[in-house]
Each structure stands twice: as structure tokens, then as C-alpha cells.
Amino acid sequence: MFGFPFHSRRSAPQARGFAPSHVVARLVPAAPCGWIFFDGSETRMTTDDGATLVIPGGAFFPREARRYANEGEARAEAARLNDAGLCLDRPWRARPASAFDDGRSSLARAVAQF
């Protein structure tokens, strides 16, 4: 609004010339492209017994996903989300952004890489 860029608490500004190559996503066949992508936002909740849970923000389309510089960074973020989340099956995974960037079926291509 005043020319100041807004960045969420978890996402850092991306440097110019930086080509992030990975996203964090979970397979959800009912989603428009078959995946839900982590968008960098999250909601923290504390349970009655004092445990802190993280509810990750999700996006339906890969262009809305937070991008990571490399597979290692994406894997670390997926592990953090899985460790602090509600699901026990560790659904968040690091995936190459290129798997979702072209016009072919994202679901078929990404499931093949699964």
C-alpha cells in the first residue's frame, strides 16, 4: 500500500536473480491439480495439554506456493511441518517446482515422481 513489501513471518524476501527450484506439497487427489502446496503461512495452536501444533497454509496451484532454493531446504521445511502438524503420516514432501510448471497434467506427472 505505501510501497513497502509485505512478507509473512515465515517467508523471507527472495533475492533478485534467485531461481527457487523446489516446493513443499502434499498429495490430495481431490484438489484441482491433485496437490496442496505450502504457501509459507501458518497458524499456531496450543492444545489443552500445552503442545504446540502448526497448521500450514495451503494453496491449490503451484504458482501460489512458497519456493525453496534447493531440495535440502524444502525437505527441512517439510520435516518441520510434519513434526509440528496434526497428521501422523508425514504428508508434506519436497518436490521439484519444475514438476508442476509446464502444461502437462500436474497430477499424473507428480504422482509418477512420488
Side-chain angles (χ1 to χ4, degrees), residues 1-112:
M1 181 159 119
F2 295 100
F4 300 106
F6 173 77
H7 300 286
S8 73
R9 198 165 42 94
R10 291 289 312 154
S11 63
Q14 295 178 354
R16 291 179 189 201
F18 176 67
S21 64
H22 284 75
V23 297
V24 173
R26 62 185 293 175
L27 187 62
V28 179
C33 77
W35 292 81
I36 297 291
F37 302 91
F38 179 55
D39 67 5
S41 68
E42 57 189 41
T43 300
R44 292 185 177 269
M45 294 180 59
T46 304
T47 63
D48 291 338
D49 62 355
T52 300
L53 299 174
V54 173
I55 301 172
F60 285 126
F61 303 101
R63 69 181 172 275
E64 300 167 339
R66 179 165 187 230
R67 303 268 177 131
Y68 296 87
N70 56 53
E71 184 178 7
E73 285 183 14
R75 282 183 185 263
E77 186 74 335
R80 184 186 71 79
L81 293 173
N82 287 327
D83 290 344
L86 298 169
C87 300
L88 298 177
D89 61 351
R90 306 188 64 77
W92 294 102
R93 293 173 173 78
R95 291 287 173 251
S98 61
F100 306 100
D101 286 342
D102 65 18
R104 294 180 295 158
S105 166
S106 297
L107 178 60
R109 189 176 55 261
V111 168

